[in-house]
């Protein structure tokens, strides 16, 4: 079904305004101290002659008598070139040459937004070329890092430029399609935020504009073109290059990232065979890194610096001996270490979904994943996720299954999996599965969720569904139960349910339905 772009932009305006206000603040504060700290603002010629606005910070006392490891920082989507100045100064004080640049198509840099396509990879290599020619950078010790858009470009650049020895990709993506079109469902609020920020702070290329329009239009004729476009811009497509180069890769993301879900980062991490580290924390897109951009002590940036200190400066700081998967629960403080992603949910507990349920489509039952950025930030700061009163959810529009009450706390870690049999009355449709932590009064706190869309099915014909929910770390208190809720409308996503559609969930004797919940090993 088509979408009203005016409505989408209205939905996105709050989040975009917050992003650009933050960007403006970042532009003001670091610039005021730039002259005092010896920051140089330069123009770098990127791919095809495109001018990239950049800044350079070198270690104090650098006189050309020695070289230093180089860190290249591409900016985030919609942010100005001074985004990283505070962290750049900290890195320079630790002995790095740091060059950050505004990616093509945004702010004062030339060119048009290509969404991390080949021109963006080539730009990164041009910035490295310039840095080696104009700064005391060591060609054998080059790293890249970035937040969000800068993270994706850093990974892609490292895959196409063997000179990059280490990467810190913070709140980025590995599979662009899985991130914003998971299970054939458009993450429409996330796309609207990116689109609006691109139009406000940059210049979209005709191809980029067409991609957004096709994405909103839900034109299945264009689907494969969109998938191919996204795969070209996905680090997962070129993962073998990182393995061949033995690039040291740090991946960090938030459990509640409404732009780039954690699942695709975890899958990508498992494919890497070189030095690697995976970190997940509470929060939404880039919210864990944001305080560090203002100089506030920050775990993400501390670990980024430790990563580069070891793999570019050779420091024996122990980062290579720590458990490579580091998780922080949404419910408690402190980190948990695991040897690999598979060990995170080592124990699994199933609860059966034996009772059949039929729901009507096109009405929001009251269960939803929240609002892009805002809901997960609230969860990060106050530990209050989106909530629903489960006993009052209307069963005409929502299917509900509940577990027994658990006598002890259940430490949910990793990716819950829904297995069921679905019979739709229409050829296309969408449902969203939500997992809630339900207290004694019936108030459900959202643990995780995920959408699923299908097309070209025979009405009335059943088919099996295996849907991984978004990975998370959440502690269900003793005396609570888990509830699986399924409905058909969520403001975060585009739904494809024709008018009058009904969905029936059943549990055949030879293929029973269940929810498999990953638990931390006791």
């Amino acid at each position: 079904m088509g979408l009203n772009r005016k409505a989408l932009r209205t939905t996105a305006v709050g989040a975009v305004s917050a992003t650009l206000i933050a960007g403006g603040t970042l532009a003001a504060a670091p610039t005021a101290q730039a002259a005092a700290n010896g920051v140089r603002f330069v123009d770098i010629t990127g791919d095809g002659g495109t001018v990239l606005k950049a800044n350079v910070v070198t270690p104090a006392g650098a006189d050309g008598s020695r070289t230093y490891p180089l860190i290249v920082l591409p900016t985030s989507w919609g942010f100005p070139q001074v985004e990283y100045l505070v962290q750049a100064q900290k890195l320079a004080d630790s002995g790095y040459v740091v060059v950050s640049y505004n990616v093509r198509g945004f702010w004062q840099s030339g060119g048009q937004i290509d969404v991390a396509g080949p021109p963006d990879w080539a730009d990164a290599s041009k910035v490295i070329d310039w840095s080696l020619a104009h700064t005391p950078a060591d060609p054998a010790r080059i790293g890249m890092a970035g937040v969000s858009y800068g993270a994706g470009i850093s990974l892609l650049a490292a895959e196409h430029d063997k000179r990059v020895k280490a990467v810190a990709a913070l709140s980025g993506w590995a599979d662009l399609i899985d991130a914003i079109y998971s299970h054939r469902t458009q993450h429409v609020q996330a796309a609207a935020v990116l689109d609006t920020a691109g139009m406000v702070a940059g210049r979209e290329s005709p191809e980029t504009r067409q991609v957004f329009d096709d994405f909103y239009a839900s034109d299945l004729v264009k689907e494969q073109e969109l998938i191919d476009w996204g795969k070209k811009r996905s680090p997962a497509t070129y993962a073998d290059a990182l393995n061949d180069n033995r690039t040291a890769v740090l991946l960090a993301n938030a459990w509640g990232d409404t732009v780039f879900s954690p699942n695709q980062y975890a899958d990508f991490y498992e494919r890497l065979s070189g030095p690697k580290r995976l970190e997940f924390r509470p929060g939404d897109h880039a919210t864990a890194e944001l305080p560090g951009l203002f100089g506030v002590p920050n775990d993400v940036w501390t670990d980024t610096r430790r990563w580069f200190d070891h793999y570019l400066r050779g420091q024996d700081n122990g980062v290579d001996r720590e458990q490579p998967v580091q998780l922080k629960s949404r419910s408690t403080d402190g980190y948990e270490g695991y040897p690999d992603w598979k060990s995170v949910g080592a124990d699994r507990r199933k609860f059966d979904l034996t009772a059949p349920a039929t729901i009507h489509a096109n009405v929001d039952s009251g269960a939803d994943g929240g609002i892009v950025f805002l809901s997960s930030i609230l969860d990060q700061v106050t530990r209050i996720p989106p909530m629903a009163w489960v006993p009052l959810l209307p069963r005409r529009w929502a299917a509900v299954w509940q577990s027994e009450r658990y006598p002890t706390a259940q430490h949910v870690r990793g990716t819950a999996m829904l297995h069921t049999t679905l019979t739709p009355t229409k050829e296309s449709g969408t449902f969203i599965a939500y997992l809630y932590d339900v207290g004694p009064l019936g108030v459900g706190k959202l643990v995780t969720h995920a959408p699923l869309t299908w097309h070209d099915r025979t009405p009335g014909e059943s088919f099996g569904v295996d849907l991984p929910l978004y990975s998370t770390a959440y502690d269900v208190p003793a005396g609570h139960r888990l509830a699986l809720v399924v409905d058909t409308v969520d403001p975060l996503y585009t739904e494809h349910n024709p008018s009058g559609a009904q969905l029936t969930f059943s549990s055949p004797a030879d293929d029973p339905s269940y929810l498999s919940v990953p638990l931390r090993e006791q």
Side-chain angles (χ1 to χ4, degrees):
M1 60 187 295
L3 294 170
N4 185 314
R5 283 176 56 192
K6 182 178 180 182
L8 289 175
R9 293 177 190 175
T10 300
T11 302
V13 71
V16 172
S17 298
T19 299
L20 294 180
I21 289 171
T25 305
L26 287 168
T31 301
Q33 64 186 38
N37 291 339
V39 177
R40 286 194 293 143
F41 292 91
V42 299
D43 290 350
I44 297 176
T45 302
D47 185 56
T50 298
V51 175
L52 306 173
K53 296 294 183 177
N55 54 70
V56 183
V57 190
T58 54
D63 58 6
S65 61
R66 54 168 293 193
T67 59
Y68 302 86
L70 168 68
I71 305 292
V72 174
L73 302 169
T75 53
S76 304
W77 184 276
F79 275 72
Q81 61 160 312
V82 294
E83 174 185 5
Y84 301 114
L85 270 185
V86 171
Q87 287 300 325
Q89 189 64 60
K90 290 178 180 291
L91 286 165
D93 291 343
S94 298
Y96 294 91
V97 172
V98 186
V99 179
S100 59
Y101 69 97
N102 229 132
V103 294
R104 64 171 52 225
F106 283 103
W107 294 87
Q108 293 90 358
S109 283
Q112 297 176 321
I113 300 169
D114 195 63
V115 195
D120 288 296
W121 322 336
D123 283 346
S125 291
K126 293 289 188 181
V127 171
I128 292 173
D129 293 342
W130 183 94
S131 301
L132 295 176
H134 295 88
T135 74
D138 185 341
R141 297 184 292 167
I142 298 173
M144 290 191 66
V147 176
S148 183
Y149 195 43
I153 290 175
S154 293
L155 285 170
L156 287 160
E159 290 168 331
H160 291 85
D161 192 327
K162 294 181 179 181
R163 295 176 296 178
V164 180
K165 304 303 182 184
V167 172
L170 316 177
S171 290
W173 74 92
D175 186 329
L176 191 57
I177 296 302
D178 189 51
I180 63 172
Y181 189 57
S182 58
H183 303 285
R184 302 183 78 180
T185 309
Q186 293 104 316
H187 296 214
V188 68
Q189 279 193 15
V193 167
L194 296 175
D195 186 11
T196 306
M199 289 187 291
V200 171
R203 300 167 301 282
E204 296 175 340
S205 69
E207 181 187 33
T208 299
R209 179 68 264 151
Q210 189 63 53
V211 164
F212 276 115
D213 289 343
D214 291 343
F215 184 84
Y216 297 141
S218 304
D219 184 355
L220 292 180
V221 174
K222 297 284 189 176
E223 183 180 39
Q224 190 58 51
E225 290 181 26
L226 289 171
I227 291 172
D228 293 342
W229 175 89
K231 291 298 182 185
K232 181 186 290 186
R233 292 159 170 80
S234 295
T237 302
Y238 317 101
D240 289 345
L242 293 175
N243 295 333
D244 292 343
N245 299 339
R246 299 291 295 172
T247 311
V249 179
L250 166 64
L251 304 171
N253 205 351
W255 294 120
D257 194 319
T258 46
V259 178
F260 303 132
S261 66
N263 297 44
Q264 42 93 36
Y265 246 19
D267 292 343
F268 182 59
Y269 172 84
E270 287 292 271
R271 293 182 56 193
L272 299 178
S273 60
K276 60 182 180 178
R277 183 179 175 98
L278 177 66
E279 300 182 351
F280 284 125
R281 300 172 175 83
D284 205 312
H285 185 63
T287 60
E289 299 90 341
L290 184 61
L293 297 178
F294 292 95
V296 177
N298 182 273
D299 291 348
V300 185
W301 288 104
T302 296
D303 287 348
T304 295
R305 192 155 55 252
R306 292 176 65 227
W307 191 252
F308 287 137
D309 283 347
H310 180 74
Y311 286 103
L312 295 183
R313 300 180 66 203
Q315 286 190 3
D316 184 13
N317 56 16
V319 72
D320 58 321
R321 296 188 296 275
E322 296 170 358
Q323 296 276 40
V325 177
Q326 294 286 322
L327 312 181
K328 186 175 183 180
S329 169
R330 292 162 50 203
S331 308
T332 58
D333 295 322
Y335 288 87
E336 303 167 0
Y338 299 86
D340 51 42
W341 178 249
K342 294 188 293 292
S343 301
V344 170
D347 290 342
R348 299 193 77 91
R349 172 173 292 185
K350 292 182 180 180
F351 74 82
D352 295 329
L353 313 175
T354 54
T358 297
I359 59 175
H360 295 251
N362 308 117
V363 174
D364 190 339
S365 71
D368 63 58
I371 300 171
V372 65
F373 288 122
L374 302 180
S375 296
S376 291
I377 292 174
L378 184 64
D379 184 33
Q380 175 185 0
V381 175
T382 67
R383 293 180 180 164
I384 300 176
M387 293 187 290
W389 198 0
V390 174
L392 292 187
L393 290 174
R395 281 2 184 219
R396 179 179 176 84
W397 297 296
V400 180
W401 298 269
Q402 297 193 74
S403 72
E404 77 280 3
R405 295 189 187 279
Y406 297 113
T408 59
Q410 304 294 296
H411 304 287
V412 179
R413 300 290 186 273
T415 309
M417 177 69 72
L418 169 63
H419 174 76
T420 189
T421 296
L422 172 62
T423 308
T425 60
K426 305 290 185 179
E427 63 180 17
S428 295
T430 299
F431 75 75
I432 305 94
Y434 309 91
L435 183 62
Y436 284 100
D437 159 25
V438 183
L441 298 180
V443 176
K445 295 182 177 180
L446 187 64
V447 177
T448 182
H449 76 286
L452 174 75
T453 294
W454 62 92
H455 298 287
D456 302 321
R457 289 286 178 176
T458 302
E461 185 174 296
S462 301
F463 60 93
V465 170
D466 287 291
L467 175 64
L469 277 58
Y470 296 140
S471 303
T472 194
Y474 182 96
D475 299 330
V476 180
H480 288 213
R481 66 178 74 198
L482 288 171
L484 177 72
V485 176
V486 176
D487 74 359
T488 62
V489 176
D490 190 305
L492 287 172
Y493 309 108
T494 301
E495 54 90 9
H496 296 265
N497 297 294
S499 179
Q502 297 180 37
L503 310 180
T504 297
F505 298 88
S506 58
S507 182
D510 60 346
D511 187 19
S513 295
Y514 59 84
L515 182 74
S516 176
V517 180
L519 300 175
R520 188 180 71 193
E521 189 172 13
Q522 300 301 311

